[in-house]
Amino acid sequence: MTKNTNSFFEIASDEDFRTWLPKELRGDETEGKRLSLYLLVDMARCTADDEISRLDEICQDSEWLGLYDDFEGDEWKRIGPRLIRIPDESKYLDRPSLGLPAQAVSYLLAGDHLSSLSEHLLRLREITIPDGGKSLFRFQDTIVMRELCDLLSAKQISIMLGGASKWAVPCICGGVGILSKEVNHVGGELALSEAQFELLNDRLLPHSIKAEVDEVDSAIFLDKDLCQITTDLRLRIEAARSYGIKFDDDVSLFCILGLQLPAGFDEVNPFSRILQSVRNGDRRFSAEVGKVSAEEWEQFESQIGFDVNN
C-alpha cells in the first residue's frame, strides 16, 4: 500500500526558497525526471507600465498561455492569469519573481508539457462550494492560495496539483508555502467542505477590509506593507469579535472606524454604549452607528478632540 505523503509545508525565507528551487527542479536526474519551472502570473496585480513591459519580455522568450483567453470580453483576457514555461530557469533563480510584484507570481514544478498543465488549470477555474454551486476559483491569487493551502486534505492537494509535483506560493510576510505531491494524481473536482469554506472566508476578511479601506481613504495604509496591514487588521478583527460583533460587514465597519478615529474611540460614548448593547446580544453594530445623532457626534468630537469630518 502506498503511503499518502501529499502535504503542505513552508520555507521560512525567500533566500531559502532560492536555494530549494534549483534542487527541486533537478529532481531525480538519474531517471531523467528533471522538472520544468512554470510561472503562474496574476495579471490583475501587474498594473504598472514597467511591470507589463517586463512580463512581455519574459513571454517573448518563453512558451505561455492565457488561462482566460476563452472568456468573452477583452477585460477578462487582460486580467486573466498567464501560465509561462521558463526555458532556462538558471538565469532567473537569483530573483524568482523576475522583477514582477512578489504577490503576482506563484510557481509550479512539473514534468508535464505546457498544454497538459494548462488543461489541468482550466479545469480548476471552477470550484464546488458547500451549497453545491460553482464559483470562479482565482487560484492565481497568491493571497487566496496561501490562506487555502493548509486547509486542504491530501486528496484535495492531489486534485489541486494534477500533473505538477509542487506549487509554491509566496507569503505576504516573507517565505513561501509549498503544496507537495509525492503520489499519483487523484482525479475529481475540487470541492470545499462547509468548515473549509467558512474558515477560508474568515482568513480572507482582512484582505476584504483592506480593499474597503483603500476605497474610503487610500492614504491610511500608505506607509505600511501588506504584512503590516494584514497583521494590524487581524488584531482589529479580534477586538471586534471580543465585543460580540458577529457579522462581517459590522466587523469591517468597526475596523474602518478604528483606523479613522483616535485610539480608544471604542471606550467613549456613543461607541462604548453601542458596543455594550452589541455585547448584550440585542443590537447590530452598523445599525446602531447609523442611529447616532448629530448632537452625539458633536459630543464625541469634543471629548476626544477630533473632527470626524476632516
Side-chain angles (χ1 to χ4, degrees):
M1 181 175 180
T2 302
K3 182 180 179 181
N4 193 335
T5 54
N6 298 340
S7 64
F8 170 77
F9 62 92
E10 289 187 311
I11 295 175
S13 70
D14 297 339
E15 183 178 351
D16 289 342
F17 176 64
R18 288 193 290 270
T19 301
W20 172 89
L21 184 57
K23 293 179 181 178
E24 289 297 318
L25 286 170
R26 287 196 295 270
D28 190 347
E29 292 182 325
T30 61
E31 298 183 14
K33 293 183 177 179
R34 182 177 177 84
L35 301 173
S36 294
L37 173 64
Y38 290 88
L39 306 182
L40 181 62
V41 182
D42 185 356
M43 294 298 296
R45 294 189 183 276
C46 296
T47 56
D49 289 342
D50 60 332
E51 294 166 357
I52 300 298
S53 297
R54 178 60 182 139
L55 184 59
D56 287 341
E57 289 176 10
I58 296 167
C59 289
Q60 285 176 5
D61 297 329
S62 311
E63 295 180 275
W64 68 278
L65 290 170
L67 298 181
Y68 285 0
D69 282 359
D70 59 325
F71 285 12
E72 292 185 6
D74 292 339
E75 184 64 11
W76 279 110
K77 295 178 176 62
R78 185 187 69 79
I79 66 171
R82 291 188 189 183
L83 181 66
I84 307 169
R85 181 182 178 275
I86 299 299
D88 181 10
E89 69 277 356
S90 62
K91 60 183 178 181
Y92 298 123
L93 293 178
D94 60 333
R95 50 171 189 159
S97 66
L98 310 178
L100 301 174
Q103 297 303 315
V105 184
S106 52
Y107 315 84
L108 288 94
L109 283 61
D112 280 0
H113 295 296
L114 175 66
S115 58
S116 299
L117 187 57
S118 65
E119 286 174 8
H120 167 68
L121 293 175
L122 290 175
R123 290 192 293 272
L124 277 182
R125 289 189 309 194
E126 283 192 334
I127 189 171
T128 303
I129 56 178
D131 66 3
K134 301 286 187 179
S135 178
L136 180 66
F137 177 27
R138 295 192 71 255
F139 51 75
Q140 71 273 20
D141 188 324
T142 58
I143 290 175
V144 172
M145 276 293 293
R146 176 59 193 88
E147 299 295 1
L148 176 64
C149 281
D150 60 342
L151 300 179
L152 298 174
S153 68
K155 180 179 178 180
Q156 288 171 319
I157 289 173
S158 180
I159 293 171
M160 276 287 302
L161 286 169
S165 65
K166 300 286 190 297
W167 191 326
V169 183
C171 305
I172 59 174
C173 292
V176 180
I178 311 288
L179 286 175
S180 175
K181 186 187 69 178
E182 306 295 343
V183 298
N184 292 333
H185 171 50
V186 175
E189 294 184 348
L190 182 63
L192 297 183
S193 69
E194 185 171 354
Q196 287 176 316
F197 192 69
E198 289 179 357
L199 188 50
L200 176 60
N201 282 336
D202 192 57
R203 289 182 173 189
L204 291 174
L205 183 56
H207 307 287
S208 299
I209 296 173
K210 177 188 178 299
E212 289 185 50
V213 171
D214 288 342
E215 289 185 6
V216 173
D217 186 352
S218 59
I220 288 178
F221 290 136
L222 200 57
D223 60 343
K224 293 183 178 181
D225 62 31
L226 193 54
C227 178
Q228 293 170 323
I229 293 169
T230 306
T231 301
D232 179 274
L233 287 173
R234 290 196 192 285
L235 291 173
R236 294 180 188 278
I237 291 169
E238 185 179 339
R241 301 290 192 205
S242 72
Y243 281 121
I245 300 176
K246 299 175 182 178
F247 297 95
D248 286 352
D249 55 345
D250 286 358
V251 172
S252 296
L253 177 59
F254 178 89
C255 292
I256 292 171
L257 287 171
L259 289 163
Q260 294 178 313
L261 299 175
F265 82 98
D266 48 336
E267 299 173 359
V268 179
N269 275 326
F271 295 103
S272 58
R273 169 181 54 79
I274 290 171
L275 290 167
Q276 184 59 51
S277 67
V278 170
R279 183 179 280 143
N280 291 338
D282 58 351
R283 294 289 188 273
R284 283 280 305 266
F285 181 70
S286 55
E288 294 305 299
V289 171
K291 297 176 184 176
V292 175
S293 67
E295 182 180 358
E296 286 180 300
W297 277 117
E298 289 177 2
Q299 292 173 350
F300 174 75
E301 292 173 355
S302 176
Q303 187 167 350
I304 65 172
F306 181 81
D307 186 349
V308 298
N309 295 312
N310 290 334

